[in-house]
Amino acid sequence: MVTSAVEKIDDTKVKLSITIDPDEVSSALDQAVTRLSQSVKVPGFRPGKKVPLKVLEGRLGKGAVREEAIREAFPGFYSQALSEHEISPVGPPEFDVDAFEPGAEGAFTATVDVRPEFEVPEFEGMTITHPEWELTDEELHANLDQVRERFAEVETVERPAQKGDFVTVTISGKKADGTEVEEASAEDMLYQVPEEDTDSELDTQLVGASAGDVLEFTDVLGPDYPDGLAGQEISFTAIVKEVKVKTLPELDDEFALTASEFDTIDELMDDLRTQAGAEKRQMAVANLRGAVIEAIAELVEIPLPESLVEEEQRFRLNRLAHQAQHAGLSMDQFLSIAGGDDPQALMDQIREESENTVKAQLVVDEIGQKVGITVEREDLGQEVARQAMRMGRDPNEIAEMMLHPDRIGALYADAYRRKTIDHVLEHVEITDAPPPEPEPEESEVEDTEPTELEDTEPTELEDTDVEETEADEEE
């Protein structure tokens, strides 16, 4: 028999005190002995034959059987207590064992984070300004400049280098003992002098330098250099070979013929305006979903479960780690570069963003419960189709991946929150919204429910990243 009591520690944490009668304790220990007997070789006993408790303890140590019993039995005792008190944890428990010995009553506590209780702010009739969705002339020309950059030409000039110019330079970096630093050396490197002032002595020396000049200076290596080099003062010799200027092509019909399938620059600009305008509109619609939840969340104070905030922080740091790996940097180097002079400010920003995301999740989930949002099979199918389209992969392939027990709950959560935000958008007043897009032709509408989801039952809602979901749409 297992009995339990619950104590509220604060608004986001409870402690379960669980008591196990001696028979349950003995049974758990006996089962642990049986399992260990099958995997541990004990002299004098045939493989698989049950070994007496004291013999096992002599072989493995006194606490080994107890630890095995606790590891296997406590999750079941804990689940019984959760069900008895109707508790839905949002993070892993912290166990503290008070007693668990043969022939005696067992006792342990489990401290766990739970969802806070709060009232959802009234949002019906709330006014939300739609994010800017119309393409500006500046944005159109920025897109044109991106196309021009792809067809830019770099030409050698007979004058000193200026900010924004390119130089061909051979550079050699040496330590105080004369040893060359390969990571700080390069031959015939094409380097652009930054437009803005920097702390780099190379950038300072190159402004005003001409072809044939030999520049000698010292500088401290930055945090993007490998461990052991970052922070060292190095002597540099830089030989300027050429000074070059990048020239962008003129915006005329000849450029349109070179850069596109269009005959005139007007046709190219019209096509860019259509494409870039559609992309900005899609991004604005995605941003609207986040903006409406953010506006509602600002109306309420919610105590945040620390385990959820830490989980969100880990997610964001893992994403940064992947970016660092892709850039060939260590995580510390990446954070130093991204954080500039104050890497801690970046960590503080990640913490704040994590808290905002968790708060948004809690608000969306609470609204969904209040208004009675349910997720059907077709909702899951549509969510799979949406993610497949975003990733450019076959919906059936994504469905197979999402049907894994570790992922189906997250899929359900995404669909649940998407439907909840759709409900909210139907009940708020949106100003400055774009005109509705024309309905697609019937032949363009595809079935979005993969057959693999036909017999799928939704499982318990798991916490997913609302911000990431909205960012997916922006992509």
Side-chain angles (χ1 to χ4, degrees), residues 13 51 193 258 312:
K13 196 180 294 289
V51 180
V193 183
T258 301
E312 179 63 26

Side-chain angles (χ1 to χ4, degrees), residues 249-325:
E250 294 293 330
L251 286 175
D252 52 24
D253 293 347
E254 183 179 349
F255 170 68
L257 284 167
T258 301
S260 70
E261 70 273 26
F262 300 105
D263 296 329
T264 68
I265 189 64
D266 289 339
E267 292 175 327
L268 173 59
M269 291 182 65
D270 286 343
D271 182 69
L272 280 176
R273 184 181 289 107
T274 299
Q275 292 186 37
E279 290 173 1
K280 183 174 182 180
R281 176 170 170 150
Q282 290 173 2
M283 184 177 293
V285 170
N287 289 340
L288 173 65
R289 301 175 68 83
V292 67
I293 297 304
E294 181 180 347
I296 297 172
E298 287 178 353
L299 301 178
V300 60
E301 289 296 325
I302 306 173
L304 304 178
E306 184 61 25
S307 60
L308 290 185
V309 177
E310 291 177 352
E311 181 183 1
E312 179 63 26
Q313 281 183 292
R314 284 193 297 272
F315 167 79
R316 292 174 180 272
L317 288 172
N318 285 338
R319 187 164 58 186
L320 288 178
H322 286 304
Q323 294 175 5
Q325 184 179 23

Side-chain angles (χ1 to χ4, degrees), residues 135-147 251 268-277:
L135 189 73
T136 65
D137 289 341
E138 292 79 6
E139 290 167 333
L140 174 61
H141 284 284
N143 276 271
L144 276 169
D145 286 342
Q146 290 179 9
V147 179
L251 286 175
L268 173 59
M269 291 182 65
D270 286 343
D271 182 69
L272 280 176
R273 184 181 289 107
T274 299
Q275 292 186 37

Side-chain angles (χ1 to χ4, degrees), residues 83-98:
S83 298
E84 179 183 351
H85 299 285
E86 298 181 347
I87 294 172
S88 297
V90 296
E94 294 181 6
F95 289 132
D96 188 8
V97 182
D98 299 320

Side-chain angles (χ1 to χ4, degrees), residues 20 31 39 43-45 88 119 141 164 233 256 451:
I20 309 135
Q31 291 176 39
S39 58
F45 291 86
S88 297
E119 288 294 326
H141 284 284
E233 186 174 77
T451 56

Side-chain angles (χ1 to χ4, degrees), residues 33 37 42 45 49-58 65:
V33 168
S37 295
V42 179
F45 291 86
K49 181 176 176 59
K50 189 171 183 180
V51 180
L53 172 60
K54 290 189 179 298
V55 175
L56 266 180
E57 288 181 337
V65 176

